[in-house]
Amino acid sequence: MAVSSRRLQKELAEIQKQGTPVGITLLSADDFQTWLFSVEVLGETVYAGEVFALMFRFDGQYPIQPPAVQFLVDEKYTSPVHPHVYSNGHICASILGNEWSPVLSVVAVCVTIQSMLASCKKKERPPDNDRYVRHAPDNPKKTQFVYHDDTGIS
Amino acid sequence: MTEPSSSSHQEIFQESPSASPSEDATIAPRMKSKDLPELDEAQPPEYTIMDEFQSLTPLREYQMDEQALLAESIPDRPLIGPLVPLAMLREEYERGSQGFVRQIDWLMSHGHIGIRRTKGDGDCFYRSLAFAYCERIMHAPDAELAVMSAISSIEATPALLEAAGFQPLVFEDFYEMFLSLVRKILAPDENGKVLTPAALLGAFNDPETSNSIVVYLRMLTSAQIRSDPDISNFLLSPETAEFVEPRVFCEHFVEAMGKEADHPQMQALAQALRVHVSVAYLDGHSSGQNGDEVTFVHLDKAVGTVPGAEPVMLLYRPGHYDILDTRSEDPMDYYT
């Protein structure tokens, strides 16, 4: 079995055994291509009462390369209004790009994204949202975001 | 270094080259790293949309200011190349830096006549070290002792990773990949074959195997740094040159693929693998001790190394590591 399926199988077994952190629920993981989680922010938050769906798409490179992670936007779910989340669900976060490390797991990514929402004080879109969404590829991994803590790399 | 250029909020749309750069650059919170609820100050997102999915590890050409070194960035360069005469590297510098030529001549006159080039993808230190480590075991005068000693060192590492807080889930596949490769040096596989030198080179050019080993060595380096106060108390950010917390240093500069290694990473990995590493520094000008043309940095403080074992030899040029050798080409039977 390929490294990626073996690892995902273990992660899934762990989720089924240990459960997921508070506010995060596994919605579907029918194969090793696409997993879906619901994410909500608990406590005092600008997202009170909102439930989002995080979609993970894996290729054979996982976990050496990051999964493609975005918020699901369909008739049931919307993208959270956040300075680093586009209205099409794409997320600008360095851990999903050049700071990805195989020490991260699917659940760790969910928790990080949940924390990112939890610390948001003001709901607003990235300033270039409209233009990005017009040109954005289907797969957010085809967007190479520039993370500002990485001087010299772009 | 100063804050990154916040005003250059540029987007490059390969699909629509006419898109004009945005002008606003308001400060917005940015996500920092894993498990971190707090946010840093940062600029709004910038991005490039790629036609083809590219490597996540952009080459750091700003560090590759030497013309010859740019050759390392050729995409089809193998992850680990064949052994070639060091004279070939000399040729690349003949029209350029005479300082490099002089240092290469010095290395050749001191028996370092071969180089095995590693792809310049930011993982070159880890990949070079891993390959040279395995090859050194394979060619050890007492290979059986060398393999047993290596296996016992490697088998001691998962405990170190767990102590550093890594879940077995995230490292065990990579660990097994590395351990099984070292085992195969002497123990026949299911087809009754032991690892030949050619198969070793093949394994290191198979991206899944090769990158899995790099991942494991990165995690091991991180665990060692976190547990070793001799290293963790002296960590400087390569970006700001200020002291940084071990956790931050490891997350940003060790665990992520493509992040180059500096002295703390080298020191930590040599210690964790219990191997002596000698690095020849080629910088085109400075000299070593005793009037030598080249400075060697010896990472030889590792506890528990095999007495008398030859060090792993690496060649450093600014921004890149290759493997240095006392042979100038692979033996004739290498590829059979």
Side-chain angles (χ1 to χ4, degrees), chain A residues 55-113:
Chain A
M55 179 169 72
F56 287 74
R57 282 182 283 177
F58 308 100
D59 56 23
Q61 304 285 305
Y62 179 81
I64 290 173
Q65 301 277 343
V69 184
Q70 67 179 96
F71 285 102
L72 189 63
V73 178
D74 62 8
E75 55 280 2
K76 190 171 174 199
Y77 293 101
T78 57
S79 165
V81 179
H82 183 282
H84 276 186
V85 182
Y86 292 94
S87 56
N88 65 353
H90 289 194
I91 305 163
C92 173
S94 58
I95 61 149
L96 301 177
N98 72 344
E99 296 215 335
W100 166 259
S101 161
V103 306
L104 294 166
S105 62
V106 171
V107 167
V109 171
C110 288
V111 170
T112 311
I113 300 294

Side-chain angles (χ1 to χ4, degrees), chain B residues 82-104:
Chain B
L83 195 54
V84 297
L86 195 58
M88 284 176 68
L89 185 68
R90 187 188 193 281
E91 280 174 29
E92 293 173 27
Y93 283 103
E94 274 166 5
R95 291 185 185 184
S97 163
Q98 293 310 299
F100 277 92
V101 172
R102 204 175 61 244
Q103 290 184 319
I104 292 167

Side-chain angles (χ1 to χ4, degrees), chain B residues 30-75:
Chain B
R30 169 187 68 80
M31 212 178 103
K32 203 162 82 181
S33 191
K34 64 164 179 170
D35 304 336
L36 297 179
E38 82 273 23
L39 292 178
D40 271 7
E41 292 302 303
Q43 292 77 32
E46 290 179 20
Y47 47 81
T48 306
I49 294 173
M50 295 176 280
D51 284 331
E52 297 277 311
F53 180 58
Q54 297 168 357
S55 159
L56 279 170
T57 310
L59 288 156
R60 299 161 185 212
E61 291 178 28
Y62 69 101
Q63 288 185 324
M64 300 187 164
D65 45 0
E66 291 298 329
Q67 191 60 37
L69 206 50
L70 287 173
E72 251 66 47
S73 66
I74 297 167

